[in-house]
Amino acid sequence: MELQGRLAALHGAGLGLAAISYDPVPVLADFSARRGITFPLLSDPGSNTIKRYGILNTTIEPTHALYGYPFPGTFIVDRQGVVTARFFEDAFQERDTISSILVRLGRHVDAPATTTTGAHVTVTSYATDQVVAQGTHFSLVLDVTPGPRVHVYAPGASHYKPVALRIDPQAGLLLKAAQYPTTEDYFFKPLNEHVPVYQRPFRVAQDATLDPSRESAAALQDVTKMTIIGRFDYQACDDKVCFVPQSMPLSWTVSVKPLDRDRPKQP
């Protein structure tokens, strides 16, 4: 279970973990014992807490056996009980991984990484998760460090080549728009222009999902590994010279596992 596997990383980041569901205590106790779960699994009789948080799955009819099921998501709560962040999926078949959430929170993730030194930048790239299944939300991450006294152009820059993470499409892989950090304003005095740039280390994250649809299940049935190909485009300048735009090739390989269909036993 991905949550259990990342428990040490969460504790290292100063975070605790608890999961809540509408299942009764005996069901959760059985599941916890069989799967070696060491964090709290909380039972929510009548889905009262689920309803108070406004996440009751309203697409399920009250007469259905699954009524009371929540829309899947993650809340980050501080010690005073205040929700400081939340992450929700578009469909019940999809799940954010803890690692992808940590990346979006700006935290460090212990994952195998590749560091490449290009012209005027150093890029460390990694996937937040090395094993994924259908419906898994994970992230492809670039930690980029511009060289000394160098800036790279950010999205929105005109007349220059702004940074862009581009991923080649492939069957079974769903991609959302890449996420870029807040830009800095740079005033280039010789041309009397203001442009958005990055001068300090920054992170680009690309959210990806293995397509949870039935059609994709057939395409992924015999797939045990997936190599994702992409590139990082950028243009670097110093306070005197703009250099030739660059395109850095990238790749990530993840293992693909079958869906975990083990469910808690009903009493």
Side-chain angles (χ1 to χ4, degrees), residues 4 37 47 53 84 91 117-118 130 135 145 157 159-160 183 185 193 198 217 223 242 247 256 259:
Q4 181 66 37
I37 305 301
S47 299
Y53 272 77
T84 59
T117 300
Q130 283 67 63
T145 302
H159 311 300
Y160 302 98
T183 63
D185 179 76
E193 67 176 3
Y198 300 120
V223 175
C242 271
S247 186
V256 179
L259 279 173

Side-chain angles (χ1 to χ4, degrees), residues 9 34 72 100-101 159 242 246 249:
R34 286 188 293 110
S100 68
I101 289 174
H159 311 300
C242 271
Q246 302 290 319

